[in-house]
Amino acid sequence: MLIFNEFPVGAATLNVVAAHRAKTEQGLRELGVYPGQEMLLMALLQDGAAPKPQNVLAELLDVDHSTIAKSVRRMAAANIVQTHRSAQDGRVTLVALTASGLTLAKRVKAVCQAVEQAATGALSPEEQADYIRLATKMTTALKK
């Protein structure tokens, strides 16, 4: 646990993030998923697991296009995703889950749901709403 008496909000935030990440990574390791890949898998699982353009995935995950391209290449080599060019615009690379990728993504979602439950289990619905509202407000302020 990080303790910074001069920065109690920052310390509390870092403690939550560190504990959440550790719990998530524990579940992901059991699935053979590397940190960061879970976000890509969850994004690909959205909308009925419809294929998504690489640039849209980069925007959704708020990462650089080269980061997505590298992750997609690694996951394609592991047969988790497949790519193909868009029929409408050949410059656009579409990314889709393979059958094994879909199974893995659903297992990752279960890990994320379990961590979410562990994190929020001690909070009332009102406290959860307050936490989300305050965290969003702080995030917005920090991104200015």
Side-chain angles (χ1 to χ4, degrees):
M1 181 196 296
L2 299 172
I3 300 173
F4 299 105
N5 293 332
E6 290 183 67
F7 312 105
V9 172
T13 302
L14 291 173
N15 286 332
V16 169
V17 169
H20 190 281
R21 191 73 199 161
K23 189 80 164 171
T24 302
E25 286 178 1
Q26 177 185 358
L28 295 177
R29 268 192 308 276
E30 294 171 8
L31 299 177
V33 174
Y34 294 101
Q37 287 182 335
E38 81 279 10
M39 299 307 297
L40 183 52
L41 288 167
M42 294 301 294
L44 288 168
L45 196 55
Q46 290 180 354
D47 306 318
K52 293 173 185 56
Q54 248 180 219
N55 61 336
V56 169
L57 291 169
E59 288 175 24
L60 279 172
L61 302 177
D62 195 23
V63 296
D64 190 73
H65 185 270
S66 63
T67 301
I68 286 294
K70 186 176 181 181
S71 293
V72 166
R73 277 193 306 274
R74 285 182 179 161
M75 293 170 78
N79 195 36
I80 296 169
V81 301
Q82 57 189 2
T83 62
H84 62 277
R85 295 288 177 190
S86 167
Q88 288 78 27
D89 184 346
R91 298 170 296 172
V92 175
T93 300
L94 296 174
V95 182
L97 293 166
T98 61
S100 61
L102 180 59
T103 299
L104 181 61
K106 289 177 180 178
R107 293 177 71 196
V108 166
K109 183 175 181 177
V111 167
C112 293
Q113 287 171 327
V115 172
E116 182 83 0
Q117 181 56 45
T120 61
L123 301 176
S124 70
E126 295 80 17
E127 289 170 323
Q128 290 177 41
D130 287 343
Y131 178 81
I132 293 166
R133 181 181 54 78
L134 293 170
T136 301
K137 192 172 186 178
M138 290 170 61
T139 300
T140 301
L142 289 169
K143 286 188 173 184
K144 284 185 181 178

